[in-house]
Amino acid sequence: MNSMTSVLSEDARRRINREVEKYPPDQKQSAVMSALAIAQDEHGWLSTDVMDAVALHLGMPPVAVYEVATFYTMYNLKPTGRFKLTICTNLPCALQGANVAAEHLKRTLGVGFNETTADGRFTLKEGECMGACGDARPRRRGLPDWSQVELHAAAGAG
Ligand code: FES
């Protein structure tokens, strides 16, 4: 272990190794999304040092890890609030009021997209399709009592 891989705890490296074992030995990089999720669980967000540690652990060029981390909205590239609210504003969700709900949340929380409330509780994000187009409503990440927020958003969307 060197100083770069030590950015990841022993537990994180063990969990990543379990993901790596799901793929052929010459395709360790296939575990990159899981590895980034594990690293984010541990650090709360993905700093360059953390992404570099993932790259080193998987034997990948760092830029290849950056490409994945910057493409998917579930990865945090900077610190976030305790709860991250991500609202899909793609067409099916927009047609069902996602933009109205987003504006309501912006007003209620006093933040715009990619901003965190002053108390550090909520970060509001604009997301891409989450594969829940049939439901076509705002989605949540890491919020235990979503029904309350959803009710308030729906009330604001009316
Ligand atoms: S378009 Fe919003 S979840 Fe698919």
Side-chain angles (χ1 to χ4, degrees):
M1 180 176 71
N2 64 36
S3 63
M4 186 52 75
T5 56
S6 68
V7 169
L8 300 171
S9 71
E10 186 177 327
D11 180 60
R13 284 183 272 118
R14 185 176 44 74
R15 291 172 60 203
I16 291 170
N17 288 341
R18 276 205 309 260
E19 296 299 319
V20 168
E21 289 169 4
K22 296 176 181 175
Y23 301 98
D26 62 339
Q27 294 178 27
K28 287 173 68 171
Q29 71 276 12
S30 297
V32 66
M33 291 187 70
S34 298
L36 286 170
I38 290 166
Q40 182 168 281
D41 276 352
E42 180 168 273
H43 292 273
W45 65 290
L46 298 171
S47 66
T48 303
D49 281 351
V50 170
M51 289 188 282
D52 288 350
V54 168
L56 187 64
H57 193 81
L58 297 178
M60 297 174 66
V63 69
V65 174
Y66 305 161
E67 287 171 352
V68 173
T70 57
F71 182 79
Y72 294 99
T73 57
M74 71 269 207
Y75 298 120
N76 304 324
L77 301 177
K78 61 182 186 179
T80 65
R82 181 171 173 215
F83 304 110
K84 186 169 81 170
L85 302 173
T86 304
I87 298 181
C88 170
T89 55
N90 285 183
L91 187 59
C93 290
L95 290 173
Q96 291 298 321
N99 290 319
V100 176
E103 290 308 312
H104 175 76
L105 282 172
K106 288 177 184 176
R107 279 193 311 275
T108 302
L109 298 173
V111 296
F113 282 134
N114 298 314
E115 294 178 356
T116 300
T117 56
D119 63 5
R121 292 185 68 203
F122 297 101
T123 296
L124 188 61
K125 304 275 288 185
E126 184 174 29
E128 297 296 326
C129 180
M130 300 171 198
C133 319
D135 293 334
R137 59 187 182 184
R139 309 297 290 177
R140 58 103 171 169
R141 291 273 160 75
L143 186 70
D145 58 349
W146 172 244
S147 59
Q148 290 300 314
V149 172
E150 190 172 41
L151 282 174
H152 292 306

